[in-house]
Amino acid sequence: MSDITNEADVRELGTPTLSQLYGKSVGKAAAKQRRKRLEVTSEGRRAGVGTYAALVVCILVFLIPLYVAVSIASQNSSATQYGMQAMIPGTGLFKNIARAFGAMKFWEALGGTFLVATIVSISTVFFSTLAGYSFSKLRFRGRNALLMLVVATMTIPQQLSVVPLYIMANKAGLFGSLWAVIIPGLVSAFGVFWMTQYIGDALPYELIEAARVDGCSMFRTFLHVAIPAARPAAAMLFLFTFIAQWTNYFWPMLILGPNKNKMLTVAAATLKGAYFTDYTIVMSGVVLTTAPLLLLFFFAGKQLVSGIMAGAVKG
């Protein structure tokens, strides 16, 4: 590989040509060698002090709230949960987490949250991809008007739909059930808009016509042609929907009623007292709610980022 990807070959042939002649692994090695030699980013810009300073500031902005939550959760006494004392980590983290673990009924809340997030994410991806394929590649009367109507629903605040949604869920006998949280989120207007835009650019009509000539029905064409082409965007939509449902609080708090321990965010809110709030146990509940997502990013962060980057680059 070294004799193929030397500096002269990379400069004369270029990375795309090397990938075609010798394979993708050689092309990637050549691109890595070129970036290392030039000491620039993948976009061709030299990373300066300002870039690193901006990155450090962004990291601090996101990490400081998490640090404060963990620091308060680690206090040994509720008397040290305020002021500068709360910024100094204590030694009671695991004791407070154990208290919150039992008070929240953690395993029940974790199971309910995972069930809701998984079902809603899979359903949103499937129906959004189906609708996006229809809006972008099929020709039917009123297509643009329907798409505009779907996008227009994104401008309606969630608070305006809470009252009628609450009434319908109550009349349907879903009050206190996880299905009252799942059903309203089975598809989203943003997901339809996102998949419509992506499939419209990433899926050429020639592939659809070739599949129809080979005898595929419309739905089989969607399954075997559209879904593989939309996989990067679908992965990103799944990730964002999963996180949104995992951290959803407002609607579950209203509709779950006495069964608030079925979701982590609402169960963590029940740790707040009526007359006095012990923030050491409340922040311990926040840590327990956030920990599964942090573990997900820790073990699957590389795959998630690569999927997002693949969805950002088309063609």
Side-chain angles (χ1 to χ4, degrees):
M1 184 181 298
S2 61
D3 57 338
I4 296 175
T5 59
N6 55 54
E7 185 175 342
D9 287 338
V10 173
R11 183 170 57 251
E12 294 176 2
L13 297 179
T15 304
T17 305
L18 288 173
S19 299
Q20 294 178 359
L21 293 177
Y22 304 109
K24 292 184 178 180
S25 60
V26 175
K28 290 181 179 179
K32 184 177 180 181
Q33 181 183 7
R34 172 180 289 180
R35 288 196 300 268
K36 183 177 180 181
R37 178 173 57 85
L38 297 176
E39 297 181 353
V40 297
T41 63
S42 58
E43 292 82 9
R45 299 189 301 269
R46 187 178 298 275
V49 177
T51 301
Y52 290 108
L55 291 175
V56 170
V57 171
C58 291
I59 292 173
L60 290 177
V61 168
F62 287 105
L63 288 183
I64 286 177
L66 182 61
Y67 170 80
V68 173
V70 175
S71 180
I72 295 176
S74 65
Q75 300 303 310
N76 300 316
S77 172
S78 59
T80 60
Q81 62 180 329
Y82 303 104
M84 293 303 299
Q85 289 180 313
M87 300 297 100
I88 303 175
T91 58
L93 178 62
F94 295 104
K95 180 184 69 174
N96 295 330
I97 286 180
R99 292 168 55 201
F101 192 93
M104 292 173 58
K105 298 181 180 179
F106 179 77
W107 292 119
E108 179 182 354
L110 179 66
T113 305
F114 183 79
L115 178 67
V116 170
T118 303
I119 293 178
V120 171
S121 300
I122 294 175
S123 173
T124 298
V125 169
F126 177 77
F127 288 115
S128 297
T129 307
L130 186 61
Y133 172 73
S134 301
F135 280 126
S136 62
K137 295 302 176 182
L138 301 184
R139 296 289 181 264
F140 55 91
R141 183 175 299 177
R143 182 187 64 166
N144 294 331
L146 288 175
L147 180 59
M148 290 180 60
L149 181 63
V150 171
V151 174
T153 60
M154 297 171 58
T155 64
I156 302 175
Q158 182 185 10
Q159 290 78 4
L160 292 181
S161 61
V162 163
V163 174
L165 195 60
Y166 183 90
I167 294 174
M168 287 189 294
N170 198 17
K171 288 185 176 181
L174 297 176
F175 182 78
S177 172
L178 286 178
W179 286 108
V181 183
I182 294 173
I183 293 176
L186 289 178
V187 67
S188 67
F190 170 77
V192 173
F193 174 74
W194 168 254
M195 297 307 298
T196 300
Q197 297 300 311
Y198 184 86
I199 294 177
D201 294 334
L203 181 60
Y205 280 103
E206 289 77 9
L207 290 179
I208 299 175
E209 294 172 356
R212 299 305 302 273
V213 169
D214 289 341
C216 288
S217 63
M218 185 65 66
F219 190 69
R220 286 191 63 188
T221 303
F222 167 73
L223 292 179
H224 297 289
V225 178
I227 288 182
R231 190 174 299 166
M236 190 173 72
L237 179 62
F238 180 91
L239 171 64
F240 288 161
T241 306
F242 189 90
I243 294 175
Q245 291 299 319
W246 191 280
T247 58
N248 190 14
Y249 171 75
F250 182 63
W251 175 243
M253 182 268 296
L254 293 176
I255 200 62
L256 288 181
N259 298 321
K260 292 182 178 180
N261 286 329
K262 288 187 176 182
M263 292 198 69
L264 285 171
T265 53
V266 186
T270 60
L271 299 175
K272 184 178 180 181
Y275 301 101
F276 172 75
T277 300
D278 186 356
Y279 285 105
T280 60
I281 188 172
V282 172
M283 289 298 104
S284 298
V286 172
V287 172
L288 285 174
T289 302
T290 310
L293 286 180
L294 295 178
L295 291 176
L296 173 65
F297 278 98
F298 180 79
F299 289 106
K302 185 177 181 180
Q303 289 76 12
L304 294 176
V305 172
S306 62
I308 293 174
M309 295 305 296
V313 180
K314 301 182 288 293

